[in-house]
Amino acid sequence: MNDGDDSRLQNAIPALRRYARVLTRDPHQADDLVQDCLERALTRMHQVRGRADLRPWLFTIAHNLNVSHWRRLRRLVPFMETNDPEPMQEAGQIPHLEWKEVADAFERLSDDHRQVLILVGVEGLEYATVADILGVPVGTVMSRLSRARTALHQLVGHEERPMLRRVK
């Protein structure tokens, strides 16, 4: 791995951590997922020579590792008791109640809705890229995003719907 690869990978780590937290809903599992993802990425950097943005590639690896993890668990443990995940931040650290309300509503969304919101809304990825990451058609990404936004607004209690961006 050369210095350019190293810096591209380092620059993508914060986004990878955010996505891992969305996937796992648990900070400790997210850290493990990020480590596993980076380990796999380091051995496969030759596959992405020339790519300026490694985030889509890393998100795909993280998504696939997470799916594999849950499939293995489902085979091993038919019914798991789940504990509430640790909060990402303590409530006292967030000065705005509206932010807390939105964050709580975000956590109540389905996994599919959270994933598409983080990839499109936070990471700013294009629909086609998100479709590749999740392994679904672009139309599915668009409908999930629309339903996720609607659900989030309903959970937060907003009457007005946001202006949606144009599909490229």
Side-chain angles (χ1 to χ4, degrees), residues 26-80:
D26 178 85
H28 302 294
Q29 287 180 356
D31 289 344
D32 291 344
L33 180 59
V34 167
Q35 182 176 346
D36 292 345
C37 181
L38 291 173
E39 198 174 296
R40 182 158 298 177
L42 286 170
T43 64
R44 292 170 173 81
M45 285 300 289
H46 64 279
Q47 296 176 349
V48 290
R49 295 268 188 256
R51 269 197 205 175
D53 188 2
L54 294 180
R55 292 177 309 158
W57 180 64
L58 291 170
F59 293 160
T60 302
I61 294 171
H63 174 79
N64 291 339
L65 286 171
N66 190 57
V67 167
S68 296
H69 168 78
W70 286 110
R71 283 183 181 152
R72 266 192 316 276
L73 272 179
R74 205 173 325 154
R75 282 193 305 262
L76 294 175
V77 182
F79 298 100
M80 269 181 44

Side-chain angles (χ1 to χ4, degrees), residues 1 4-22 30-42 45 52-59 62 88 118-119 122-123:
M1 189 163 84
D5 292 337
D6 190 41
S7 66
R8 289 185 309 147
L9 196 57
Q10 286 180 3
N11 290 340
I13 290 174
L16 180 60
R17 282 189 175 136
R18 283 190 298 270
Y19 186 54
R21 286 229 173 158
V22 167
D31 289 344
D32 291 344
L33 180 59
V34 167
Q35 182 176 346
D36 292 345
C37 181
L38 291 173
E39 198 174 296
R40 182 158 298 177
L42 286 170
M45 285 300 289
D53 188 2
L54 294 180
R55 292 177 309 158
W57 180 64
L58 291 170
F59 293 160
M88 292 175 76
I118 196 84
L119 292 173
V122 176
E123 298 304 332

Side-chain angles (χ1 to χ4, degrees), residues 21 27 86-95 99-100 103:
R21 286 229 173 158
E86 293 179 25
M88 292 175 76
Q89 285 185 314
E90 291 184 23
Q93 295 175 340
I94 300 174
W99 173 249
K100 175 88 171 101

